Amino acid sequence: MFNAGEPVDQESLEALMDAAWPAVEHAEAGPWVLRASEGVTQRANSVWPRGAVTHAAEVADALRSAADWYRRRKLPLILQTFDDARSEVLHDVLDTQRFTRQSETLIMVRGTEPWAPVQQSPVQQSPAQPGVELSAEPTEDWLRLWWAVDGRGGERELAVAREILTGCPSVYALARDDDGNPAAVGRLALVGGRGGIYCMATAAGRRRLGFGSLVLAALLEEGTRVGLDGFWLLVTAANAGARRLYETAGFSRQGSYLYRQAPLRRAPGGC
């Protein structure tokens, strides 16, 4: 599927993204992939409508089947829909059925060229120095910081999130401040000879001090060291600060997606 050294096409990139954030439960429904993880993260609890859709009738049938699958799991019907010509018919049907639009996200890619961030503070300058810890599993400090920034829920939800994180080989990076406290984290998913940057999070009170750049540089350096052919990441369109960091690091936009959620049905007799 993936050719070493060549740019990755959109459909292959979607497959990489699915493998890098593997849902606890997968099911095939024709060309569509249904994913569920007890409601932990939209990505792991949404439909990946793999491939092109050419007929509205196909969409209607697939939506009915998917809605039933998610209903049995007491989850809302959410689709991860990509912004390209393959999804035009799908978006038209979802608009007609009043699916909401949520969380527009940019897909950004880069090659393996070196990058060293310009330091804005006296944090460690080299990823090879002790300022960044790399591990093959998320440590307790790593998990707690990421969950404090991006998590939704308690210990049960965190356990599900950990299962998602460890569903593919990954590298976990953690930067500490001068007092030894966790300051920033990130994850590099190793899939198909490429690396996905995920879970970039900086502790409150440690932002805009260069810790996030340090973590990103460490992950890119490690990915290049192990021979990856390139990198991708996902960033919400509204997060201007993160987008600037990633553009500075050499990432450029390749595409985008958003989540389309089915409208809530009112109970009979409701007002």
Side-chain angles (χ1 to χ4, degrees):
M1 179 184 293
F2 311 112
N3 296 318
E6 295 183 3
V8 62
D9 63 83
Q10 181 62 31
E11 291 190 51
S12 296
L13 185 53
E14 291 174 20
L16 289 171
M17 291 162 51
D18 181 63
W21 199 261
V24 174
E25 187 177 3
H26 269 80
E28 301 276 338
W32 287 13
V33 177
L34 313 181
R35 305 174 292 195
S37 301
E38 300 183 34
V40 177
T41 77
Q42 280 184 310
R43 191 179 308 124
N45 292 275
S46 62
V47 177
W48 170 28
R50 184 177 50 191
V53 177
T54 56
H55 301 291
E58 292 178 40
V59 178
D61 291 342
L63 285 175
R64 283 191 290 270
S65 176
D68 181 63
W69 193 83
Y70 282 96
R71 189 180 302 113
R72 293 197 301 270
R73 289 156 181 80
K74 299 181 179 179
L75 293 170
L77 174 58
I78 302 173
L79 284 79
Q80 182 187 29
T81 56
F82 294 84
D83 184 19
D84 57 30
R86 296 171 303 147
S87 302
E88 289 180 358
V89 173
L90 174 60
H91 278 295
D92 287 343
V93 174
L94 298 180
D95 287 340
T96 300
Q97 297 195 18
R98 298 184 178 181
F99 277 61
T100 61
R101 294 172 176 256
Q102 305 171 5
S103 307
E104 181 185 1
T105 301
L106 307 184
I107 305 168
M108 305 183 75
V109 298
R110 82 185 298 277
T112 56
E113 59 276 10
W115 175 67
V118 176
Q119 289 305 124
Q120 302 173 351
S121 71
V123 298
Q124 300 277 359
Q125 292 195 24
S126 171
Q129 295 177 2
V132 176
E133 303 166 8
L134 300 180
S135 60
E137 296 285 337
T139 64
E140 187 68 14
D141 280 348
W142 191 102
L143 277 172
R144 293 297 171 182
L145 174 51
W146 172 65
W147 196 247
V149 175
D150 286 339
R152 303 289 186 274
E155 292 299 318
R156 183 187 67 81
E157 289 80 8
L158 177 57
V160 175
R162 192 184 192 286
E163 185 173 353
I164 295 169
L165 291 169
T166 57
C168 76
S170 300
V171 176
Y172 301 85
L174 183 149
R176 296 184 184 273
D177 62 19
D178 291 339
D179 297 322
N181 299 312
V185 296
R187 169 181 177 253
L188 176 66
L190 307 173
V191 183
R194 296 179 186 268
I197 303 292
Y198 288 83
C199 304
M200 292 288 293
T202 302
R206 292 294 179 266
R207 293 167 188 162
R208 299 185 180 180
L209 295 176
F211 289 107
S213 297
L214 192 63
V215 165
L216 178 60
L219 292 175
L220 294 177
E221 182 178 283
E222 179 65 10
T224 301
R225 186 190 70 79
V226 300
L228 297 182
D229 294 316
F231 302 88
W232 82 90
L233 59 78
L234 313 172
V235 57
T236 56
N239 193 342
R243 288 169 57 187
R244 283 193 295 270
L245 168 61
Y246 300 142
E247 288 166 358
T248 300
F251 284 89
S252 60
R253 176 174 175 171
Q254 173 155 323
S256 65
Y257 65 86
L258 48 78
Y259 292 103
R260 306 295 307 269
Q261 181 166 340
L264 297 176
R265 297 182 183 277
R266 293 185 178 181
C271 58

